Amino acid sequence: MAPVPDRGGDEQRRCGWCRRVLPSQGSVGRPRLYCGQACRQRAYEQRSATAKAGLPGDVVLVSRNELDGLQDRLYQLRCALEDTQTLLTEKPTKAELERQLAELLRSTGRLDRLWVSERAG
């Protein structure tokens, strides 16, 4: 996994391996990419393994369970969006819109935070 570039603003920098928030540093020197030597080593090992396997450097490997879970969550979100679209054609009340909005929010779960989950080990 390539380290995530700093996009400026209020976004916190994260370790290129474990995704933990990096401590803030002064304006002098290169920005840190990893939280420690262990993460730097794991990232190196992954880059070496993907290169030996002939895989592109930006390849992401996930377990079948993780992929199935993500696909289930995306399907739930799609269904909630379709329900919302149908509801909007029926001149809904404010209460119905609020319920549907709550359902949309629930169906997104933590989809927006998938990239920040920490790796084990």
Side-chain angles (χ1 to χ4, degrees), residues 37-61:
Q37 183 57 37
C39 287
R40 183 186 326 260
Q41 182 66 28
R42 297 294 92 69
Y44 168 78
E45 290 167 356
Q46 182 182 21
R47 287 191 307 272
S48 296
T50 55
K52 287 178 187 173
L55 298 171
D58 63 347
V59 70
V60 176
L61 300 176

Side-chain angles (χ1 to χ4, degrees), residues 99-115:
R99 271 195 306 276
Q100 191 57 35
L101 179 58
E103 176 62 22
L104 268 173
L105 290 172
R106 186 198 61 74
S107 68
T108 61
R110 292 180 45 94
L111 285 174
D112 62 327
R113 297 179 181 242
L114 285 177
W115 67 276

Side-chain angles (χ1 to χ4, degrees), residues 14-70:
R14 295 186 175 272
C15 174
W17 176 253
C18 71
R19 313 305 302 148
R20 289 186 185 105
V21 174
L22 293 172
S24 60
Q25 68 184 67
S27 60
V28 178
R30 289 190 302 187
R32 291 178 65 174
L33 299 178
Y34 304 100
C35 59
Q37 183 57 37
C39 287
R40 183 186 326 260
Q41 182 66 28
R42 297 294 92 69
Y44 168 78
E45 290 167 356
Q46 182 182 21
R47 287 191 307 272
S48 296
T50 55
K52 287 178 187 173
L55 298 171
D58 63 347
V59 70
V60 176
L61 300 176
V62 297
S63 70
R64 172 58 59 190
N65 277 346
E66 290 171 323
L67 180 60
D68 289 345
L70 176 59

